[in-house]
Amino acid sequence: MFGFGKEKSAEEEAEQRQIDAMKVSIESALVQMKQQAQAGLTDRCEAGAKRLTEALKNPKLPKDYAKQVRDGVDRLLLHAFMKATALASKEAIDAGKADDLEKRSAKIKEAREKLSGAMKYKAPQDFKQQCERMLEVALMSGGVKAKGPTKAKPRDFAPKVENRAKPVNTAPQAPDKAKGPGAQQHEYAKPVGS
């Protein structure tokens, strides 16, 4: 009377199973993408996002579900780029501390590229400022110790000064405690006039 007794046709059931299978594959792709975002693997995340975007173009998927998944993909991409930026900045600072200037400049370049990707996915402004400060620290670290003489610390050509201090065994001996107090007096402890 009100449509309670009607059963779905075999075609509708097959279509519903197909949609459910697509949802399961999309969810598993999201889980995999989340793991890659946690590791900061931006290339893999972008490739996964591209595949998911193609899968979400299917008109059979519900519109609200597709929008929810797209928002989740954007959040994961933002997280991946922020994580990659932070890791590259940290590695640049560590390379600067180790005086590896080539690695430091390569990591600074990588961090700036990842930062631009994070800003593309709407990273907060304070994240950008924090990363810029970290990159500034990385630029200032390393390359401080010179391997040879410098203008401030020229090489010392003067000959080494000979040690003229008294040898240790010529120092006066301590009084012998086995004989008791006052048993032996040193010449500097004797009364004057004796």
Side-chain angles (χ1 to χ4, degrees):
M1 170 176 189
F2 292 103
F4 291 117
K6 291 183 181 177
E7 291 187 23
K8 293 183 178 180
S9 67
E11 213 174 272
E12 289 175 346
E13 286 180 17
E15 188 176 307
Q16 186 61 37
R17 281 194 302 266
Q18 185 181 11
I19 289 173
D20 290 341
M22 286 175 62
K23 285 183 179 180
V24 168
S25 68
I26 287 171
E27 295 296 327
S28 66
L30 279 174
V31 168
Q32 184 179 12
M33 192 174 162
K34 183 177 181 180
Q35 292 170 348
Q36 294 167 348
Q38 289 291 333
L41 304 172
T42 56
D43 296 339
R44 290 184 181 179
C45 284
E46 285 181 322
K50 189 175 181 181
R51 285 191 302 270
L52 280 172
T53 304
E54 290 297 319
L56 291 172
K57 288 182 181 177
N58 191 333
K60 295 178 182 178
L61 285 173
K63 300 290 183 197
D64 57 337
Y65 177 77
K67 183 180 183 329
Q68 182 182 7
V69 171
R70 280 190 193 100
D71 291 343
V73 166
D74 287 343
R75 282 193 305 271
L76 287 175
L77 282 171
L78 172 63
H79 180 72
F81 274 99
M82 288 174 70
K83 181 77 171 191
T85 304
L87 289 174
S89 300
K90 176 77 170 95
E91 288 176 5
I93 291 172
D94 292 343
K97 287 180 184 176
D99 275 344
D100 189 357
L101 301 181
E102 291 177 14
K103 183 178 178 184
R104 179 189 75 173
S105 55
K107 289 299 177 179
I108 288 173
K109 181 181 176 188
E110 179 185 343
R112 287 200 171 128
E113 290 171 358
K114 302 299 182 187
L115 179 61
S116 68
M119 296 311 292
K120 182 174 90 175
Y121 290 107
K122 299 180 180 118
Q125 193 65 29
D126 52 335
F127 175 75
K128 180 181 180 182
Q129 292 171 348
Q130 182 182 8
C131 287
E132 289 294 330
R133 283 192 296 263
M134 286 180 72
L135 293 176
E136 189 176 323
V137 167
L139 278 171
M140 290 186 201
S141 61
V144 176
K145 294 182 182 177
K147 298 196 182 345
T150 63
K151 192 172 186 177
K153 292 185 176 183
R155 177 174 283 160
D156 189 13
F157 292 108
K160 293 265 184 185
V161 177
E162 195 176 311
N163 187 4
R164 295 182 182 228
K166 285 187 175 181
V168 176
N169 55 2
T170 62
Q173 297 292 326
D176 194 10
K177 294 183 180 181
K179 296 180 184 176
Q184 180 184 8
Q185 290 185 343
H186 291 285
E187 54 190 63
Y188 59 83
K190 289 182 183 177
V192 180
S194 359

